[in-house]
Amino acid sequence: MTDAQTSPVADRKIDRSKMAVSDEVAIEIRDMNKWFGNFHVLRDINLTVNQGERIVVCGPSGSGKSTLIRCINALEEHQKGTISVDGTLLSNDLKNIDRVRSEVGMVFQHFNLFPHLTILENCTLAPIWVRKTPKREAEETAMYFLNKVKIPEQADKYPGQLSGGQQQRVAIARSLCMRPRIMLFDEPTSALDPEMIKEVLDTMIQLAEEGMTMICVTHEMGFARQVANRVIFMDQGQIVEQNEPEEFFNNPKSDRTKLFLSQILGH
Amino acid sequence: MSDVHAQTVSYVRETMLPEAEPPVTERGAIKWLRENLFSSWLNAILTILSLFVIYYVLSHTLGWMLYGIWDAGSLTECRQIRNELYGEDASVACWAVLADRWDQLLFGFYPQDLYWRPVAALLVFFVAVSPILFEGVPRKLFYLTAAAPFICFWLIWGGTIWGPIVVALGFVIAGAIFRYGAEMVGPLLAIIGAFLVPILYWLLLAGPLTGMLNSIAPIGMQYVSSDEIGGFMLAFIIGITGIILSFPLGILLALGRQSDLFIINKTCVTFIEVIRGVPLIVWLFTASLLLNYFLPPGTNFDLLLRVIIMVTFFASAYMAEVIRGGLAALPRGQYEGADSLGLNYWQSMQLIILPQALKISIPGIVNTFIGLFKDTTLVVFVGLSDPIGFSNLIRATTDWNGIYWELFIFIGLCFFICCFSMSKYSQFLERKLRTEHR
Ligand SMILES: Nc1ncnc2c1ncn2[C@@H]1O[C@H](COP(=O)(O)OP(=O)(O)O)[C@@H](O)[C@H]1O
Ligand SMILES: [Mg+2]
């Protein structure tokens, strides 16, 4: 295993005291299928995520990882099966979709900050317009979370003036301002320079320590080992294998998983 | 180590050299000339050629313009003065036509003692748009912005003050139904009501109500009919109304064209393609001739109003395509970012997508505005007397028969000033909105 894969988080003792998994179901996916035109991109996905779980999804490029987590907040429609988030069934009802989206935070590979708004405005926009929070209160919350991701001093700058790592931390803060119960991460570090990966992972670890339910698509295996309580391996639109990190890495069952791990970990 | 150091740094300068200026060929005007005008042989030849062309044009026109005669009652008188001053074969401008007829070029046949009214309307317009155009203007002015169309209408056409007030009331009713109706009868019914109730009100109630109010309190100004409006005033009325109305309409059409809803999508596409695919002049003739067949007999639907509607439709089709370009240029991540935060469609359009798309489209939008403003000269063909129309009328009089350049130069200059200001404003706006530092 290369050091680069583990080093970002290895120097940190992780506080597991609040990382308890509850019995309460946060996300329930039943026999879900999705097609892009005729292309069957997700096949018979079954996945239950409890409140407080930290799940890492990995798999070769094009295996449907992004599509899977984008289905959870209805950025993509699924065609068959059911997804329910916090007890709300994702159907075509726009009301449900908007409600789920405001409960589920999402962090993208390319940050997707709004370049025409300042960092503070990026963070207060949704609370003010979706949650109808008064402006002052929304700004206080935003500053609280910007403090948390350690960039309060950038509040009045525009996204274009920040480094990639800083932008990604703002994106995380922006999602947190909606006080989501679940956070989705789609390869949050893969567009970043190596020296910035650590700061973003640190932020994510901090979130995990506070008991946030998280689903992360990532190839940071160090993060997976230390933070995840379950690792899911996907290939060709299917969940091939899922297990606790120790078992997953040391004792993979399927050949595809073994092949993938050997490639990514450079054995 | 320190030995080596002592040896290598054996000489240390103790005084600073005085600051020297760059060589004479590298500074000031000479540097500028060298870099911009004479950087290469080709450039030098082009420079000399351009200088010659400028000289040639100016030597033939400058005298004509500067020695122009301002004080005369007719072209014949102009010629007499010229003969006395400069001799028979001198060529000088006869600006006297402008001095004599400026009022008609600007106001048409608008009653002379009422010229203050269109001027006041223009001032109201500028104050009303200032909070939209510039930051730092008191936000309270937005109330004026909302009232401005009615104030301007009343100032220009006059008549009873109750007309515009009763019409404005229709919008207030629409707003109230939209705002409070949602809670009482549900959002869909509220939207339908916000459309239907005001229309019924305008068609059935507005007329009698105006009459009644007017008989109770007859407040009003002298009425001026559309036939009396002409010249630049006409160009401004059509141009400004067209610009203001075509902008939101263009946005809606652009959004409609992007929509997944089949009916809305196809309606917008058809509208845009049909309007854009036919020359404006054809639409103007349609407005002036054909509409009369479709409207119930006896309705007197102001020609000016019909022309404004056509010009607005025409410009909004172009606007829609310009804005669609801006929408398409936005990365999909912006839509997804907005969606993932739970913003609904109109919120994400208003807060995220349109501000950026419109910013990208500023050059194209202003281009459309400028085009629209200049296209107002086409209304001369349907019998409205815009500046060109008036120049024709002026040239048809015995006094000024035979004069061309002076009028066209004046009209051209006025249009140029307006269009150039719009262009400058758009550049200012682009600079102001530049937030990316990539
Ligand atoms: N909008 C789309 N339209 C058509 N095909 C798509 C679309 N998005 C993704 N795909 C295809 O679906 C497959 C899975 O994509 P994705 O979920 O992004 O994979 P991953 O994130 O695992 O790399 C890929 O083959 C991709 O080409
Ligand atoms: Mg992906």
Side-chain angles (χ1 to χ4, degrees), chain B residues 256-269:
Chain B
R257 195 169 184 162
Q258 280 214 324
S259 164
D260 296 333
L261 303 172
F262 184 81
I263 300 291
I264 292 183
N265 182 306
K266 290 295 172 271
T267 312
C268 291
V269 172

Side-chain angles (χ1 to χ4, degrees), chain B residues 1-11:
Chain B
M1 173 73 193
S2 59
D3 284 351
V4 179
H5 186 73
Q7 272 162 15
T8 48
V9 194
S10 56
Y11 166 71

Side-chain angles (χ1 to χ4, degrees), chain A residues 22 82 176 194 208 228:
Chain A
S22 84
T82 58
L176 293 178

Side-chain angles (χ1 to χ4, degrees), chain A residues 50-68:
Chain A
N50 284 354
Q51 200 61 249
E53 276 203 275
R54 300 148 322 269
I55 292 182
V56 162
V57 182
C58 61
S61 164
S63 55
K65 308 179 295 293
S66 302
T67 311
L68 171 62

Side-chain angles (χ1 to χ4, degrees), chain A residues 70-78 83 85 88-104 130, chain B residues 338-345:
Chain A
R70 289 156 60 85
C71 281
I72 295 174
N73 68 352
L75 283 182
E76 304 283 1
E77 268 178 289
H78 58 281
I83 302 178
V85 179
T88 312
L89 196 65
L90 272 184
S91 54
N92 286 333
D93 190 348
L94 288 177
K95 272 242 168 65
N96 278 355
I97 290 180
D98 283 340
R99 180 154 88 239
V100 165
R101 281 175 179 166
S102 64
E103 298 292 333
V104 178
V130 179
Chain B
D339 283 348
S340 74
L341 288 170
L343 295 169
N344 65 32
Y345 177 80

Side-chain angles (χ1 to χ4, degrees), chain B residues 6-52:
Chain B
Q7 272 162 15
T8 48
V9 194
S10 56
Y11 166 71
V12 175
R13 193 200 288 280
E14 302 206 315
T15 53
M16 280 310 203
L17 282 179
E19 265 184 36
E21 294 199 322
V24 70
T25 50
E26 289 299 324
R27 76 184 126 102
I30 293 179
K31 175 177 186 219
W32 188 89
L33 282 177
R34 256 173 56 99
E35 280 183 357
N36 291 290
L37 300 179
F38 298 100
S39 60
S40 69
W41 273 112
L42 183 65
N43 204 343
I45 292 172
L46 286 177
T47 303
I48 291 168
L49 217 62
S50 322
L51 282 177
F52 177 73

